[in-house]
Amino acid sequence: MKSLENKVAIVTGAGSGIGKAVAFSFAAEGAKVVVSDINEEHGNAVVAEIVKNGGDAFFIKADTSKAVDNDNLVKQTVAHYGALHISVNNAGIGGEAAPTGEYPIESWEKVIGINLSGVFYGLRYQIPALLKSGGGSIINMASILGQVGTKFSPAYVAAKHGVVGLTKSAALEYADQKIRINSVGPGYIKTPLLEEHLSAEQMEGLVKLHPIGRLGEAQEIAELVLWLASDKASFVTGTYYAADGGYLAQ
Ligand SMILES: NC(=O)c1ccc[n+]([C@@H]2O[C@H](COP(=O)([O-])OP(=O)(O)OC[C@H]3O[C@@H](n4cnc5c(N)ncnc54)[C@H](O)[C@@H]3O)[C@@H](O)[C@H]2O)c1
């Protein structure tokens, strides 16, 4: 039997990069996948690919920085598939690069809105649905920058540290109600988030930060998320898992 057979999962930011790899992996393991993104075209393309490969998925547009969109996302998921067992709060952006003393206020608000408040709104509406379904697993996408700082990304670093803390607190609240909540911390991964904003030279500089000698692939993060989502991780809650090519070991 596949590891996510009969499970219903939401993946936010599933139109690209890590979220897309997670959506494909979940579908391949038998889950019914709600592919959610702010980008309708990309989200629908992911659904089409899953269905072409014999999987079960459908698209719901949601801007995770809006509480009401998170509420609707859960309501529509339950209306369509009858339950919710797994959610991956993955949608995120990088934001502007600037020193804290000059950081654009709009960029601070946007990054915190999507990368931190978006995860809270997700939990806020997913948890009641998971309780009704008899429990499940939530994975919040943090980063190595949820554990250590870096220059010129104050909003991103603050948001990702916030995601790690929020994950721990929520996990404690629901540990005895069959809901496991964990965060994942990728090192730098080759996705549009990096590739569309950095030069080849900057990408090469990032490679040097990883003892493993390369950047990660989205699928390498999806494998960890898949394990945390499945019953194989049945004793795992409230923790942070890095998949970072050795970045944090230095
Ligand atoms: N790529 C990396 O190096 C890296 C490293 C650590 C953590 N992460 C985290 O992984 C997650 C996914 O990143 P990625 O690299 O796959 O990025 P990506 O840009 O490839 O994909 C992100 C997706 O999120 C969607 N999105 C953006 N804002 C949204 C919103 N408000 N509501 C709903 N969807 C929205 C985008 O349309 C896009 O499809 C993010 O949380 C990111 O911070 C990425």
Side-chain angles (χ1 to χ4, degrees), residues 13-14 20 40 47 72 100 139 154 161 167 174 184 204 223 232:
K20 180 163 133 178
E40 217 162 335
V47 168
N72 286 335
T100 305
I139 297 99
H161 276 71
T167 300
Y174 296 96
V184 163
E204 203 39 52
E223 296 295 339
K232 291 177 187 168

Side-chain angles (χ1 to χ4, degrees), residues 59-125:
F59 175 71
I60 299 177
K61 184 173 180 173
D63 176 347
T64 58
S65 69
K66 295 185 177 149
V68 65
D69 280 24
N70 286 274
D71 188 12
N72 286 335
L73 174 57
V74 171
K75 280 188 180 137
Q76 285 182 47
T77 299
V78 173
H80 188 85
Y81 283 132
L84 176 66
H85 308 103
I86 297 163
S87 63
V88 183
N89 294 306
N90 163 78
I93 58 167
E96 303 290 321
T100 305
E102 299 165 25
Y103 203 74
I105 301 297
E106 321 77 70
S107 188
W108 170 269
E109 287 171 351
K110 190 165 183 202
V111 173
I112 296 294
I114 298 171
N115 293 14
L116 180 56
S117 299
V119 174
F120 165 68
Y121 299 144
L123 293 169
R124 171 66 182 77
Y125 295 103

Side-chain angles (χ1 to χ4, degrees), residues 16 18 37 62-64 90 141-142 156 160 187-189 191-193:
S16 172
I18 295 170
D37 206 286
D63 176 347
T64 58
N90 163 78
M141 198 52 66
Y156 189 88
K160 294 300 186 182
Y188 287 89
I189 310 299
T191 71
L193 185 135

Side-chain angles (χ1 to χ4, degrees), residues 165-176:
L166 177 58
T167 300
K168 290 180 191 169
S169 309
L172 292 176
E173 291 162 0
Y174 296 96
D176 61 356

